[in-house]
């Protein structure tokens, strides 16, 4: 690199190899920053997606009995449907309005029955997981708490569950949070997991 001073200004001359080296270093730095930005955005989007899945799990659980009744009492016959539970759940991900989500599921008796069956099957899997857990007592309690809150024929309030389980309301809410997160992973599959 040569420096030449003219008219109070410094001119720098570079060889072709020096210029190439600068370009390569700049490209490497730019690429590294682009990858870093992409990873941050991807992590943020995955977090938002996991949050939506958790929210949608809570929505499905809160509306379980209404959906089940709709599927059982629908005047429309059930037809063969190519759509799977995962297809239906995936379609929920772009909708943010709870009423629209439920109406979307209720669009057909078959669609509603698919979701109800999926929720029931995932609850059975969750019960089996809890029964075989190393922390069986705690995990079975969490299962019972979420079952009583959403799935039981006669659902219970947090206060009633606390009395039944001999827990504080805070402990009931903590159990519901953990159980809902685990059910989200089951209902939505691996994508339901939120890895921080």
């Amino acid at each position: 690199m040569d420096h030449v001073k003219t008219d109070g200004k410094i001119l720098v001359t570079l060889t072709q190899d020096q210029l190439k080296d600068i370009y390569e270093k700049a490209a490497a730095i730019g690429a590294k920053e682009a990858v870093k930005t992409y990873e941050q955005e991807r992590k943020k989007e995955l977090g938002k997606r996991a949050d939506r899945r958790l929210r949608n799990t809570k929505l499905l659980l809160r509306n379980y009995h209404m959906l089940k009744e709709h599927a059982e009492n629908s005047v429309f016959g059930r037809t063969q449907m190519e759509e799977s539970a995962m297809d239906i759940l995936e379609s929920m991900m772009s909708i943010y309005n709870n009423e629209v989500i439920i109406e979307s599921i209720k669009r057909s008796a078959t669609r509603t029955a698919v979701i109800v069956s999926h929720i029931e099957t995932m609850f059975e899997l969750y019960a089996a997981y809890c029964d075989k857990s190393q922390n069986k007592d705690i995990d079975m309690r969490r299962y019972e708490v979420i079952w009583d809150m959403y799935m039981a024929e006669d659902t219970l309030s947090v206060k009633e569950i606390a009395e039944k389980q001999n827990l504080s309301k805070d402990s009931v809410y903590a159990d519901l949070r953990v159980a809902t997160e685990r059910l989200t992973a089951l209902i939505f599959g691996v994508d339901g997991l939120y890895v921080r």
Side-chain angles (χ1 to χ4, degrees), residues 86-156:
M86 286 312 197
D87 294 333
I88 298 166
L89 293 170
E90 188 61 35
S91 72
M92 292 172 55
M93 294 306 294
S94 60
I95 305 172
Y96 292 89
N97 182 314
N98 291 352
E99 289 178 30
V100 174
I101 290 172
I102 295 304
E103 288 306 312
S104 169
I105 293 170
K106 287 171 49 179
R107 189 173 72 207
S108 76
T110 305
R111 195 170 215 239
T112 307
V114 166
I115 288 298
V116 168
S117 175
H118 184 66
I119 292 169
E120 290 171 347
T121 301
M122 294 308 108
F123 257 90
E124 289 172 13
L125 285 173
Y126 183 48
Y129 162 81
C130 292
D131 188 49
K132 296 192 181 329
S133 168
Q134 289 181 349
N135 298 315
K136 182 178 178 177
D137 293 341
I138 294 169
D139 285 327
M140 284 306 295
R141 183 191 72 219
R142 288 175 176 155
Y143 171 81
E144 290 170 11
V145 164
I146 201 161
W147 178 269
D148 285 339
M149 186 76 182
Y150 298 112
M151 302 293 286
E153 193 65 37
D154 295 316
T155 59
L156 302 176

Side-chain angles (χ1 to χ4, degrees), residues 175-191:
D175 282 354
L176 283 170
R177 182 180 39 76
V178 171
T180 303
E181 287 173 358
R182 290 183 178 163
L183 274 167
T184 298
L186 290 170
I187 290 171
F188 285 94
V190 174
D191 287 343

